[in-house]
Amino acid sequence: MDVVSPELNSLLPDEIMDTEAIIMDDDPPSESPAASGQSQPSDDSPVPMETDVPAVPEIVSLCSDAPPTQLTQAGTTSTPTGSTLCNTTSATQLLLTSSTVSSSSLTLRPATASTLTSTTPKTTSSLSRVSLTSGGLQKLSAPFTLSANHQIILNKVASSPGADTARSQGTTTTTTTPGGQQFMVTTIGKSGQPIVLQLPHTGSKSASVQGLGEAKANPQHFKVVTVSSASQVSTLQAQQLKTVQIAKKTQVSSAGPIKFVFTKAVNNKGLTAQTSVSNVITGRVLSTSSPVTPPRTITLSETLGSSSSSKIAISPLKSPSKLTVVSVASQVPNSPQKSVSLPLNMAHLGHQILLQQSTATSPAKTMKPVQTVTVGGVGAPQFKTIFPLSTPSNVQQIQVPGSRFHYVRLVTATTGSSTGHASSPITNSSMTAKPMVVNTTQVRMSVPIVPAQTMKQVVPKPLTSSGQVLTTQTQQRLIMPATSLPQIQPNLTNLPPGTMLAPGSGNMGYAVLPAQYITQLQQSAYVTLASSSGFSTPTGIQTQARLPLNGLSTSGAAFRPRKPCNCTKSQCLKLYCDCFANGEFCQNCNCTNCFNNLEHETDRAKAIKACLDRNPEAFKPKIGKGKEGESDRRHSKGCNCKRSGCLKNYCECYEAKIMCSSTCKCVGCKNFEESPERKTLMHLADAAEVRVQQQTAAKTKLSSQISDLLTRTTPAITSGGGRMPYTFVTKEVAEVTCECLLEQAEQAELNQQPQATAERMILEEFGRCLMRIISSAGKTDCPSINC
DNA sequence: GAGTTTGAAACT
DNA sequence: CAGTTTCAAACTC
């Protein structure tokens, strides 16, 4: 998985990336009427876990309409299930299009930007309108299950007859709970996995209790739960929900930001051909996959039957307008990959979410390589591409206070490994979100339980059949572990650019992998930030922008082995440690008592949090990018050198090969343009570098010449029927030669020759033997040596 | 390789 | 915010 370039991130509209406007799906609605639409995440509020589900059951209203069916629920509606509400006054329109055909798409489309924030005072939470379209659109008639988690699950729905059956298997249902919560249920995929759209639950409050103020204060949540036909809505599923939220800043004072929360009840098993759908919108990510899809192409898919490492890159920089997330489809033997794209189009807001779903029935040729989420970019959209190494079983967005970015908790699903026939709901509350490897047959791993140092050994195979960018991840950066600890919520804005999320270990749900790390490892497979050229083009993904890392181009440093640290006291959890400061794991370092690894994610996360508390820009590159290139690069803080004259590597400016600037507080600085000392040092350094290069070139040339010589001579000898002379020195030849030499020795002895003469005779005979051997080479395979 | 110097980071 | 301490890298011998 590779990373999103910060340049692209910077292009994301603030209203999208501003996490202040993004509320965790599990965050309880604000009680304060004065609360605005923006969420106020607190450090004390725990990061929602998969198990965090509404405790209050809610009434669901079903609504189906002609295609494209638009289901709208008034917040005041407390109609029990079955009642159809089609209120067109919704502020937000969610259009879900599902189909078993690859061309199918799921579209989220807010009606207008303004309507996102406008809410009828009487409504509690649901002025949003949700439209569910399943191919040809069907009336909602499928049975659904209302779970205790405020989620409604429609079990598998039979495909609609007719020629359009293939595209109209989806079924949608909208339900409204007494608490004013709204659920949209649909089936996606041939197997009919239902999708549950859950509006924000109001806790124990009833719809009547919620007033306008609260409706304003609370963002609207939509939870989309996709459940395979064999899946059941249960606590277990709640734990495995993948949630994604997309918040829109409240423009006026009406409704809070609308959040689309897509949760997924992970199904188990890839043993059957049934499709397991996981939709993940981590603010900008939707991921679906089939357990039976082979990883031939880059897909937004996940293996539900096996827990696998998933990595999503979330750049802490300004978000790009478009984010593409691609998760590697799991490889299931003998199962052609079939994809169903479910675009979520939020055209009015410039938000577009493309959700791709892989089903078990469609051929791989229909596979769309990427899964995209477009957010905000009305103009030239930028793309973020995320390539999870393996399909995430669970993804949960994590709101970081003060952060403008979403973090995604990637939790490997604990799926039932043996049975794929779960036809009845499972209420296994004991299931946890802790990652575990279920399917060991696949080349996958559960990253959270694998130390970073060992990751290279368990790297999933890159999926490059279609020219995608996925490569093998050999290393990993972990900036922030996914922990439920509320206090460990750093300001993600200041994490290294292109931060990537990876599953954590233990209770850690994710790890953050900065972009530099990814680019450092050119062969890595985690995240690729596509340029604006387009998300679907592999080249565009490969030509990801590289950021300067402390003055050094990451591209240049990509192949440069990272310098190992030698930390002894800091546990590599302080910025003293370069590895930690660069957002990297310690790997092949000489540090002692190192905590900068996946095994100590909690401590590491705390340390990160502490660093960010001290300095919100602690993880930002110190060397800012200049306007016109390197000449304009400058240290963000400046140095404070006192004795080095800023002409030694003690000086960060000098180390970065930049000159000190007005921001520096150095004393006796000699690191300026006209400094003769600096020029001298530069010349010396250049000369030394030239020498090194020349030596390296000489070595390379020599090696090349030797290699060429070997490759040139060997085939000539072998192909020409001849063999190197030494190859004729077989055992027999050696014996004969020795006999010849002994014969000379005996003759010398018989003739009573002096020892010197005897030795000369022997040596001369040995020379003749060698000459015969050499001359015999190429003439015959069995040279005859006669004394 | 051991010891020293240095300045950023951390701490008070 | 300033002064001090800690720390690990850079440097010297």
Side-chain angles (χ1 to χ4, degrees), chain A residues 121-351:
Chain A
K122 294 180 180 179
T123 60
T124 57
S125 64
S126 63
L127 287 181
S128 300
R129 180 176 61 185
V130 176
S131 297
L132 296 178
T133 302
S134 88
L137 291 177
Q138 295 177 344
K139 291 289 183 85
L140 289 178
S141 60
F144 64 90
T145 302
L146 176 60
S147 68
N149 296 329
H150 309 271
Q151 295 162 351
I152 297 174
I153 302 299
L154 273 179
N155 289 331
K156 181 178 181 179
V157 179
S159 301
S160 62
D164 197 25
T165 300
R167 300 183 62 252
S168 63
Q169 291 177 346
T171 301
T172 59
T173 300
T174 301
T175 60
T176 302
T177 63
Q181 193 159 10
Q182 184 178 10
F183 295 93
M184 302 301 295
V185 181
T186 185
T187 61
I188 297 177
K190 184 176 182 178
S191 59
Q193 295 82 1
I195 291 177
V196 177
L197 301 180
Q198 178 179 359
L199 291 178
H201 63 81
T202 58
S204 61
K205 290 182 178 181
S206 62
S208 60
V209 174
Q210 290 179 333
L212 172 61
E214 184 171 354
K216 291 179 179 179
N218 295 330
Q220 296 179 359
H221 295 229
F222 295 92
K223 281 189 177 181
V224 177
V225 178
T226 61
V227 182
S228 65
S229 61
S231 300
Q232 306 81 15
V233 176
S234 63
T235 304
L236 167 63
Q237 293 173 343
Q239 294 173 344
Q240 297 173 342
L241 293 179
K242 293 182 177 179
T243 63
V244 176
Q245 300 175 354
I246 296 174
K248 177 68 178 178
K249 271 188 177 178
T250 302
Q251 296 180 349
V252 195
S253 62
S254 57
I258 297 173
K259 297 198 299 183
F260 296 96
V261 178
F262 291 79
T263 62
K264 173 209 169 185
V266 179
N267 186 19
N268 349 344
K269 269 345 265 198
L271 295 178
T272 62
Q274 59 185 214
T275 300
S276 297
V277 178
S278 67
N279 296 332
V280 177
I281 301 176
T282 64
R284 298 173 292 279
V285 176
L286 288 177
S287 176
T288 61
S289 69
S290 171
V292 294
T293 56
R296 294 179 179 177
T297 59
I298 296 174
T299 64
L300 282 175
S301 61
E302 73 174 355
T303 302
L304 299 177
S306 65
S307 65
S308 58
S309 65
S310 303
K311 304 184 190 310
I312 293 176
I314 300 296
S315 174
L317 299 181
K318 287 184 178 180
S319 58
S321 58
K322 189 165 188 177
L323 172 64
T324 300
V325 177
V326 176
S327 63
V328 178
S330 62
Q331 183 175 5
V332 176
N334 301 327
S335 63
Q337 186 168 6
K338 180 180 180 179
S339 65
V340 175
S341 65
L342 302 174
L344 295 172
N345 187 5
M346 303 168 68
H348 295 280
L349 291 178
H351 299 183

Side-chain angles (χ1 to χ4, degrees), chain A residues 1 311 389 452-453 455-457 459 472-478 500 513 517-518 520-521 523-526 558 560-562 584-585 587-588:
Chain A
M1 188 169 185
K311 304 184 190 310
L389 279 182
Q453 288 78 3
M455 289 188 67
K456 62 175 66 175
Q457 302 172 358
V459 161
T472 301
Q473 169 70 33
T474 58
Q475 293 180 351
Q476 181 180 6
R477 267 189 183 180
L478 180 137
M500 184 175 71
L513 308 178
Y517 179 81
I518 303 305
Q520 247 183 349
L521 309 165
Q523 301 301 322
S524 65
Y526 279 140
R560 194 172 305 160
R562 181 177 57 81
E584 298 176 357
F585 283 130
Q587 201 165 18
N588 299 324

Side-chain angles (χ1 to χ4, degrees), chain A residues 86-103:
Chain A
C86 298
N87 189 349
T88 57
T89 60
S90 320
T92 301
Q93 183 182 32
L94 173 64
L95 177 59
L96 294 177
T97 302
S98 65
S99 171
T100 58
V101 181
S102 61
S103 62

Side-chain angles (χ1 to χ4, degrees), chain A residues 468-736:
Chain A
Q468 281 84 359
V469 193
L470 292 183
T471 56
T472 301
Q473 169 70 33
T474 58
Q475 293 180 351
Q476 181 180 6
R477 267 189 183 180
L478 180 137
I479 287 300
M480 175 182 176
T483 173
S484 60
L485 297 176
Q487 68 275 15
I488 306 175
Q489 293 182 3
N491 187 346
L492 302 180
T493 305
N494 299 300
L495 288 176
T499 297
M500 184 175 71
L501 298 179
S505 65
N507 60 344
M508 315 304 288
Y510 63 89
V512 180
L513 308 178
Q516 297 98 327
Y517 179 81
I518 303 305
T519 55
Q520 247 183 349
L521 309 165
Q522 196 65 19
Q523 301 301 322
S524 65
Y526 279 140
V527 181
T528 296
L529 173 60
S531 63
S532 59
S533 59
F535 64 92
S536 59
T537 56
T539 55
I541 296 172
Q542 288 176 333
T543 58
Q544 54 185 307
R546 291 185 175 87
L547 301 176
L549 176 60
N550 288 340
L552 296 177
S553 167
T554 55
S555 61
F559 304 101
R560 194 172 305 160
R562 181 177 57 81
K563 190 175 184 178
C565 70
N566 301 294
C567 304
T568 58
K569 297 180 179 179
S570 66
Q571 296 177 325
C572 297
L573 293 182
K574 298 284 182 66
L575 293 177
Y576 299 128
C577 177
D578 287 343
C579 303
F580 181 79
N582 291 332
E584 298 176 357
F585 283 130
C586 283
Q587 201 165 18
N588 299 324
C589 293
N590 302 318
C591 45
T592 59
N593 194 22
C594 179
F595 277 41
N596 186 25
N597 49 47
L598 275 174
E599 295 176 350
H600 300 86
E601 285 185 52
T602 303
D603 295 330
R604 191 172 188 272
K606 291 178 180 177
I608 293 170
K609 175 67 165 51
C611 289
L612 291 175
D613 287 342
R614 285 190 295 265
N615 179 18
E617 298 181 356
F619 293 100
K620 284 186 175 179
K622 293 179 180 177
I623 307 302
K625 184 178 181 180
K627 298 177 182 178
E628 299 297 334
E630 293 185 355
S631 60
D632 291 334
R633 290 188 301 116
R634 62 190 308 179
H635 198 285
S636 60
K637 292 170 56 181
C639 66
N640 299 289
C641 303
K642 301 291 191 300
R643 294 171 175 268
S644 65
C646 300
L647 291 181
K648 293 190 176 181
N649 283 333
Y650 298 128
C651 177
E652 292 189 348
C653 298
Y654 181 82
E655 186 179 25
K657 294 180 173 57
I658 61 176
M659 283 172 287
C660 292
S661 63
S662 59
T663 59
C664 297
K665 304 175 187 65
C666 46
V667 177
C669 179
K670 298 175 182 177
N671 185 23
F672 53 92
E673 181 67 32
E674 303 301 328
S675 172
E677 293 88 348
R678 174 183 169 275
K679 290 180 179 178
T680 302
L681 284 176
M682 289 300 174
H683 291 159
L684 293 175
D686 292 342
E689 185 176 358
V690 168
R691 273 198 303 272
V692 171
Q693 291 178 351
Q694 289 176 347
Q695 292 175 354
T696 303
K699 292 179 181 178
T700 303
K701 183 178 181 180
L702 180 61
S703 300
S704 176
Q705 290 176 346
I706 293 174
S707 178
D708 292 343
L709 180 63
L710 292 177
T711 55
R712 223 179 295 145
T713 55
T714 301
I717 294 173
T718 56
S719 61
R723 293 159 55 189
M724 293 296 289
Y726 62 84
T727 60
F728 291 93
V729 186
T730 61
K731 182 180 179 182
E732 293 76 11
V733 172
E735 290 177 352
V736 172

